[in-house]
Amino acid sequence: MKDPYEVLGVAENADDAEIKKAYRELARKYHPDNYQNNPLADLAEEKMKEINAAYEEINKRRANGQSGQSAYYDTRRPSSAGSAYYGGGTLQQIRRAIQAGSLTEAEALLNQYPERNAEWYFLRGVIRYQRGWMDDAKQDYQRACQMDPTNTEYRQALHYMEHGPAKTYSPYGSFGTDLCLTNLCANACLNPWAWCVCPVFCC
Amino acid sequence: MFGYVRPPLDGLPDDERDRFRRAYCGLCHTLSKRGAAAQWVLNYDFTLLAILLSDSEPATETRRCAVHPLRPRPCFASTDAMELAADESIILAYWQLRDHVDDNGPVKRQPFRAASGILRDAYRQAAAARPDFDRHTQAQLEILRGLERDNCPSLDAPADAFAVLLRDAARDVQPLTRRRVLEQILYHLGRWVYLIDAADDLRKDAVSGNYNPVALRYALSDGVWTDAARREFTLTLDHSIRGMTTAFELWDFGAWTPLLERIFYAGLFQVGRSVLDGTFHRRGAHVPQDTNDDESEAD
């Protein structure tokens, strides 16, 4: 195991508050929210595990064998196209292929699927997003939401495209070409529809 | 299409600015190995490519050059990564010039024809050293030309053709994790560069009638933004910057970290804002000044 102090980027004689601050900063950076459907989400998950393990180890050492603090960030990726299996055999296969990172296979299966339903557009959006086709992905999510407005997963995906993660990490505090847009999240909180889509994202 | 990477050097400590300048000068000297003409392709975009491909800070050596003939300057020594970046820069610049020759009429194409002729010898050397990259660059630009001919209304299809081309610059990087990180950064950098270039050319293309994916995607008239289109476009640009920053955080770039952080989290936003509000001006490559520089630009 790597030196836990090195992992958190703190000195061994740092006080508890400094360690907690360093841990929180790193957890904010590698939080699964920031890597939703990201092709590098597996690497972020590994980082998060390493940070959690380092924090736990430091707490254990300092507590002289007592159990460490338990308020760790969840390393699991948020539910994505790979984790909800429904909608028939082929669509299920497509989700599995996406989760395994086999985008070419997922795309081939999708093209063979006869029905162009909401799920089909959503999955095509996920594939496009992972390929970096952000604008086309957003249009697919919009189409999926229009065809099935009650589906929370589709609406979450569209909400992410329109607002990004709840708190995008930036060492400078702000993130965005048009900083006025960063206020959109606050506006969305006042919008009951956006609130019911995913209050966690906004607030 | 290049010239949109502007590291916000003013906000960096002196030693970070000097490190960037040494990389810039180091790339210039490495380019000169393919002939003096190759140095004309030097810009910040290609310096960023050289930095990304360098897995550690190269050794510093001191050299004189045509721009600084009086006082020798510290610059990074040529490394395999620097040579790879130099060759890829020459290949990309050459094919971009050839693209302009094909795109323009008999009069307007002449400067591009002349420039590509001057660069041809350097290109031949670079292409012989990197045949796969050269072949792939030509194939991607052919895809891009086809999409432009067809007036493709998607932002992502033509941007992807260019982004894949830039991503390919990291195809031989090891280990796998570093390659995955660099490929993601370069893909989204390529996508961002293509889109910001299209946004910058909006009015010019409206006058000339040239293909512009931004105008087609948002049905803009006379190259004028609508508020809704500008907002949508900004969001898609930011998703690509997010693609770069989330990848950047997954690899230790060592001494380059403060500079890269400044470029990805601040520089790209600044350029995006200035392109969208019409205050961006292309300018020629210039040498970033030494922090204790007492030699004038003219020497």
Side-chain angles (χ1 to χ4, degrees), chain A residues 21-123:
Chain A
K21 192 180 167 196
Y23 168 70
R24 283 194 166 166
E25 180 76 359
L26 288 171
R28 201 159 65 86
K29 193 185 283 186
Y30 299 110
H31 195 278
D33 257 7
N34 289 327
Y35 288 88
Q36 280 188 56
N37 275 327
N38 190 308
L40 303 180
D42 58 317
L43 300 179
E45 200 174 345
E46 279 171 30
K47 278 268 186 195
M48 203 62 197
K49 280 180 185 163
E50 190 180 53
I51 293 159
N52 276 344
Y55 189 52
E56 190 177 1
E57 177 64 21
I58 291 172
N59 282 329
K60 268 184 191 166
R61 284 184 196 178
R62 293 194 169 199
N64 292 325
Q66 293 167 23
S67 61
Q69 292 185 27
S70 57
Y72 303 120
Y73 285 86
D74 192 352
T75 58
R76 290 169 298 177
R77 288 180 239 172
S79 69
S80 64
S83 56
Y85 296 133
Y86 59 86
T90 306
L91 293 174
Q92 206 175 84
Q93 257 183 297
I94 294 168
R95 280 178 176 266
R96 284 201 193 99
I98 292 169
Q99 196 177 31
S102 310
L103 296 185
T104 308
E105 183 197 342
E107 205 161 41
L109 288 166
L110 200 67
N111 289 335
Q112 288 165 14
Y113 194 73
E115 198 182 345
R116 299 295 185 257
N117 56 16
E119 177 75 355
W120 189 91
Y121 280 104
F122 170 70
L123 292 177

Side-chain angles (χ1 to χ4, degrees), chain A:
Chain A
M1 185 187 175
K2 276 190 193 170
D3 175 11
Y5 291 96
E6 199 181 311
V7 171
L8 296 191
V10 290
E12 276 198 45
N13 59 359
D15 63 31
D16 289 353
E18 286 172 320
I19 289 167
K20 193 170 186 178
K21 192 180 167 196
Y23 168 70
R24 283 194 166 166
E25 180 76 359
L26 288 171
R28 201 159 65 86
K29 193 185 283 186
Y30 299 110
H31 195 278
D33 257 7
N34 289 327
Y35 288 88
Q36 280 188 56
N37 275 327
N38 190 308
L40 303 180
D42 58 317
L43 300 179
E45 200 174 345
E46 279 171 30
K47 278 268 186 195
M48 203 62 197
K49 280 180 185 163
E50 190 180 53
I51 293 159
N52 276 344
Y55 189 52
E56 190 177 1
E57 177 64 21
I58 291 172
N59 282 329
K60 268 184 191 166
R61 284 184 196 178
R62 293 194 169 199
N64 292 325
Q66 293 167 23
S67 61
Q69 292 185 27
S70 57
Y72 303 120
Y73 285 86
D74 192 352
T75 58
R76 290 169 298 177
R77 288 180 239 172
S79 69
S80 64
S83 56
Y85 296 133
Y86 59 86
T90 306
L91 293 174
Q92 206 175 84
Q93 257 183 297
I94 294 168
R95 280 178 176 266
R96 284 201 193 99
I98 292 169
Q99 196 177 31
S102 310
L103 296 185
T104 308
E105 183 197 342
E107 205 161 41
L109 288 166
L110 200 67
N111 289 335
Q112 288 165 14
Y113 194 73
E115 198 182 345
R116 299 295 185 257
N117 56 16
E119 177 75 355
W120 189 91
Y121 280 104
F122 170 70
L123 292 177
R124 191 172 74 167
V126 174
I127 294 168
R128 284 176 157 180
Y129 180 84
Q130 293 212 12
R131 287 198 188 284
W133 292 45
M134 306 303 196
D135 187 52
D136 284 4
K138 187 184 169 202
Q139 291 179 65
D140 278 339
Y141 292 152
Q142 279 172 330
R143 190 83 182 260
C145 287
Q146 283 162 6
M147 294 171 93
D148 184 356
T150 61
N151 188 299
T152 310
E153 191 184 17
Y154 305 163
R155 288 156 67 191
Q156 279 181 0
L158 180 58
H159 189 261
Y160 186 84
M161 294 311 295
E162 289 173 340
H163 302 283
K167 287 173 185 166
T168 300
Y169 171 80
S170 166
Y172 308 118
S174 59
F175 188 100
T177 300
D178 187 347
L179 292 177
C180 295
L181 288 175
T182 56
N183 296 326
L184 288 172
C185 201
N187 296 336
C189 287
L190 303 174
N191 175 348
W193 186 86
W195 223 95
C196 73
V197 168
C198 183
V200 178
F201 279 178
C202 277
C203 306

Side-chain angles (χ1 to χ4, degrees), chain B residues 208-228:
Chain B
S208 67
N210 280 354
Y211 171 75
N212 188 299
V214 175
L216 286 171
R217 165 69 178 88
Y218 300 113
L220 302 179
S221 308
D222 303 323
V224 178
W225 285 104
T226 62
D227 288 345

Side-chain angles (χ1 to χ4, degrees), chain B residues 44-119:
Chain B
Y44 287 171
D45 306 53
F46 293 141
T47 308
L48 174 61
L49 179 65
I51 288 171
L52 288 170
L53 293 177
S54 299
D55 54 355
S56 58
E57 190 176 336
T60 297
E61 54 189 34
T62 309
R63 284 170 176 268
R64 283 192 176 85
C65 65
V67 183
H68 301 102
L70 301 179
R71 197 167 59 112
R73 294 297 187 102
C75 65
F76 286 135
S78 290
T79 58
D80 288 349
M82 208 62 119
E83 285 174 3
L84 175 64
D87 284 342
E88 289 177 343
S89 305
I90 293 166
I91 291 167
L92 287 169
Y94 176 79
W95 284 114
Q96 198 194 1
L97 288 169
R98 294 305 307 170
D99 210 33
H100 287 315
V101 172
D102 293 341
D103 284 351
N104 286 286
V107 177
K108 275 191 174 178
R109 72 171 53 149
Q110 293 312 321
F112 300 113
R113 189 192 289 275
S116 66
I118 291 167
L119 195 58

Side-chain angles (χ1 to χ4, degrees), chain B residues 24-298:
Chain B
Y24 186 85
C25 292
L27 180 62
C28 186
H29 284 294
T30 308
L31 284 164
S32 70
K33 290 181 175 180
R34 302 292 187 206
Q39 289 171 293
W40 287 100
V41 313
L42 180 68
N43 61 27
Y44 287 171
D45 306 53
F46 293 141
T47 308
L48 174 61
L49 179 65
I51 288 171
L52 288 170
L53 293 177
S54 299
D55 54 355
S56 58
E57 190 176 336
T60 297
E61 54 189 34
T62 309
R63 284 170 176 268
R64 283 192 176 85
C65 65
V67 183
H68 301 102
L70 301 179
R71 197 167 59 112
R73 294 297 187 102
C75 65
F76 286 135
S78 290
T79 58
D80 288 349
M82 208 62 119
E83 285 174 3
L84 175 64
D87 284 342
E88 289 177 343
S89 305
I90 293 166
I91 291 167
L92 287 169
Y94 176 79
W95 284 114
Q96 198 194 1
L97 288 169
R98 294 305 307 170
D99 210 33
H100 287 315
V101 172
D102 293 341
D103 284 351
N104 286 286
V107 177
K108 275 191 174 178
R109 72 171 53 149
Q110 293 312 321
F112 300 113
R113 189 192 289 275
S116 66
I118 291 167
L119 195 58
R120 189 169 297 124
D121 186 48
Y123 160 71
R124 283 181 179 150
Q125 294 177 52
R130 323 278 172 191
D132 290 345
F133 184 77
D134 180 50
R135 211 167 25 248
H136 198 240
T137 300
Q138 291 183 59
Q140 287 305 116
L141 289 175
E142 186 52 44
I143 292 171
L144 193 54
R145 269 193 295 274
L147 292 166
E148 290 175 356
R149 262 196 310 270
D150 297 343
N151 260 345
C152 175
S154 161
L155 282 185
D156 285 322
D160 178 78
F162 187 74
V164 166
L165 187 159
L166 212 57
R167 184 184 68 190
D168 203 42
R171 66 189 299 169
D172 296 325
V173 166
Q174 292 294 340
L176 176 63
T177 299
R178 181 162 172 254
R179 182 165 77 233
R180 287 181 65 199
V181 165
L182 286 183
E183 284 182 342
Q184 177 80 345
I185 290 175
L186 290 171
Y187 180 91
H188 282 290
L189 182 64
R191 180 178 186 269
W192 181 86
V193 164
Y194 183 85
L195 293 179
I196 211 75
D197 181 62
D200 197 25
D201 286 346
L202 207 48
R203 280 179 186 272
K204 195 180 81 182
D205 289 342
V207 173
S208 67
N210 280 354
Y211 171 75
N212 188 299
V214 175
L216 286 171
R217 165 69 178 88
Y218 300 113
L220 302 179
S221 308
D222 303 323
V224 178
W225 285 104
T226 62
D227 288 345
R230 190 177 183 277
R231 179 176 173 272
E232 281 281 307
F233 184 70
T234 304
L235 285 171
T236 209
L237 284 180
D238 288 352
H239 271 294
S240 265
I241 296 178
R242 190 171 289 111
M244 285 181 249
T245 57
T246 51
F248 163 71
E249 297 295 352
L250 293 168
W251 187 257
D252 181 4
F253 286 91
W256 300 113
T257 302
L259 173 71
L260 293 174
E261 191 175 85
R262 192 91 187 139
I263 292 173
F264 294 137
Y265 284 102
L268 299 180
F269 291 133
Q270 281 175 14
V271 170
R273 263 173 234 138
S274 61
V275 166
L276 290 174
D277 67 20
T279 58
F280 182 84
H281 297 291
R282 285 174 197 259
R283 52 182 184 205
H286 66 281
V287 183
Q289 288 300 287
D290 214 339
T291 47
N292 54 356
D293 200 356
D294 56 1
E295 193 175 4
S296 76
E297 263 296 281

